[in-house]
């Protein structure tokens, strides 16, 4: 599966800790990330990550275009809900794309853990389910 990682500055350390905890699972998948998130996670974990531009420089749109082309299967997007960002409209469009294309998305660690455990069990093979129904 192709898993996209995005984390606001205040949540980058949380993303690193999450990726360290689930490194064994994540290492079996293709990881893509916005610039600083990818760099930070890769340096801390040794995971191979395809990096795009920084989130506020167009990296979120690059991931969004991959979602639109059905090239992303799961999005882990650790957002900072307490500090508004100037590029929040980009966030809304990214989340809307996930809804349109039925991409599982986690915006906090609790949901991310549920999704990662589902991924490990094989519960997230939704594309096969859609083909069958």
């Amino acid at each position: 599966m192709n898993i996209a990682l995005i984390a606001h500055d205040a949540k980058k350390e949380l993303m690193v800790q999450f990726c360290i905890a689930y490194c064994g699972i994540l290492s079996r998948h293709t990881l893509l990330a916005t610039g600083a998130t990818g760099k930070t996670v890769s340096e801390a974990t040794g995971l191979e990550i395809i990096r795009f531009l920084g989130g506020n420089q167009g990296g979120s749109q690059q991931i969004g275009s991959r979602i639109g082309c059905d090239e992303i299967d799961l999005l882990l997007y650790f957002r900072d809900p307490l500090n508004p960002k100037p590029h929040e409209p980009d966030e809304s469009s990214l989340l809307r794309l996930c809804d349109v294309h039925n991409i599982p998305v986690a915006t906090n660690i609790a949901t991310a853990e549920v999704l990662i455990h589902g991924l490990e069990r094989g519960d997230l093979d939704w594309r096969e389910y859609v083909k069958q129904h």
Side-chain angles (χ1 to χ4, degrees):
M1 290 190 120
N2 294 330
I3 302 171
L5 309 173
I6 303 173
H8 286 164
D9 289 344
K11 299 293 181 172
K12 284 198 188 345
E13 182 58 32
L14 183 62
M15 180 66 82
V16 165
Q17 294 305 315
F18 177 85
C19 290
I20 289 170
Y22 295 104
C23 193
I25 297 169
L26 293 170
S27 67
R28 295 190 297 268
H29 300 278
T30 301
L31 303 178
L32 307 95
T34 51
T37 299
K39 182 176 190 274
T40 304
V41 170
S42 181
E43 288 175 353
T45 64
L47 288 166
E48 189 173 316
I49 300 175
I50 298 166
R51 290 176 44 209
F52 295 110
L53 296 171
N56 60 356
Q57 297 172 332
S60 295
Q61 286 100 342
Q62 289 177 299
I63 289 175
S65 72
R66 295 281 180 112
I67 290 169
C69 294
D70 288 326
E71 296 174 6
I72 300 290
D73 302 300
L74 174 65
L75 173 61
L76 303 179
Y77 190 178
F78 289 4
R79 302 183 317 150
D80 179 4
L82 300 179
N83 296 306
K85 305 288 180 264
H87 54 281
E88 275 188 23
D90 295 339
E91 293 176 14
S92 295
S93 65
L94 188 60
L95 296 174
R96 184 173 32 80
L97 277 169
C98 288
D99 289 341
V100 168
H101 294 275
N102 290 313
I103 304 301
V105 58
T107 59
N108 59 63
I109 193 157
T111 307
E113 287 188 330
V114 169
L115 289 177
I116 205 79
H117 288 293
L119 177 65
E120 178 68 1
R121 286 189 311 263
D123 297 344
L124 296 184
D125 195 6
W126 62 269
R127 291 181 197 262
E128 272 306 309
Y129 176 83
V130 170
K131 286 179 192 174
Q132 294 172 4
H133 293 88

